[in-house]
Amino acid sequence: MAARRGPEAVRGPVPEPGPAPIGRRFPNPRLTGLGGGLFCVAAMLLLGALDALLFGSSLIAYGVLFLPVCVLTALWMRPGDLLTAPVALPIAFGAGLFPVADGSAGFLGSLMGVFTGLATQAGWLYGGTLIAGVMVLVRRVRWVRSRRRRV
């Protein structure tokens, strides 16, 4: 019998891959700082428009819809760009208020509605940003620790 050479000599034969997992896997994108900002602005504009169509511009519904966007943005950012997520989220919240704001008096009326929405819905804004900030800090600490272990 001939002696084994190569990787099989150390580890043995490579096992066959098993069947594909059953069920649906969630996407795991890694967004850059710019990509994360664009994602949350686009998501909030879309959710603001849907809120205006389905719920009649309910600011409470808009605030509730903001929370999953915060969580997804904090989860999908690349480790190197994590600290940009809490910065982009308030910008996205303000941008998404345009479809929800009362725009009966033209652009200035719409702008006044955005400022009113920012003032009255600050709890949702701060809460979502706080959730994303905590998630980002936990992920960042874990990432720094794993990099220190490798070195």
Side-chain angles (χ1 to χ4, degrees), residues 5 31 35 39 45 64 79 83 85-88 103 107 125 150:
R5 293 189 181 171
L31 301 172
F39 162 73
L45 280 170
V64 170
L83 299 178
V87 175
F107 178 73
L125 175 60
R150 282 188 258 156

Side-chain angles (χ1 to χ4, degrees), residues 99-116:
V100 179
D102 182 28
S104 59
F107 178 73
L108 291 178
S110 190
L111 195 61
M112 184 60 85
V114 168
F115 289 137
T116 303

Side-chain angles (χ1 to χ4, degrees), residues 1-23:
M1 184 188 236
R4 291 184 181 176
R5 293 189 181 171
E8 288 185 3
V10 177
R11 289 182 258 154
V14 178
E16 293 286 325
I22 298 175

Side-chain angles (χ1 to χ4, degrees), residues 2-44:
R4 291 184 181 176
R5 293 189 181 171
E8 288 185 3
V10 177
R11 289 182 258 154
V14 178
E16 293 286 325
I22 298 175
R24 185 176 178 131
R25 291 184 49 138
F26 289 107
N28 193 16
R30 290 292 170 225
L31 301 172
T32 62
L34 179 62
L38 289 174
F39 162 73
C40 57
V41 167
M44 289 313 297

Side-chain angles (χ1 to χ4, degrees), residues 28-150:
N28 193 16
R30 290 292 170 225
L31 301 172
T32 62
L34 179 62
L38 289 174
F39 162 73
C40 57
V41 167
M44 289 313 297
L45 280 170
L46 178 67
L47 290 173
L50 284 174
D51 178 28
L53 288 174
L54 299 176
F55 302 116
S57 297
S58 169
L59 290 173
I60 301 292
Y62 179 76
V64 170
L65 292 172
F66 177 64
L67 298 179
V69 173
C70 293
V71 170
L72 289 177
T73 303
L75 286 176
W76 288 349
M77 293 292 277
R78 287 185 339 183
D81 295 329
L82 273 173
L83 299 178
T84 60
V87 175
L89 289 168
I91 297 168
F93 188 87
L97 276 175
F98 276 100
V100 179
D102 182 28
S104 59
F107 178 73
L108 291 178
S110 190
L111 195 61
M112 184 60 85
V114 168
F115 289 137
T116 303
L118 285 171
T120 59
Q121 302 304 312
W124 294 108
L125 175 60
Y126 292 149
T129 306
L130 180 67
I131 289 169
V134 168
M135 290 176 69
V136 160
L137 286 177
V138 168
R139 284 189 62 206
R140 181 73 178 189
V141 167
R142 290 178 64 201
W143 180 66
V144 168
R145 284 184 182 169
S146 71
R147 286 190 69 199
R148 284 186 182 166
R149 278 190 220 130
R150 282 188 258 156

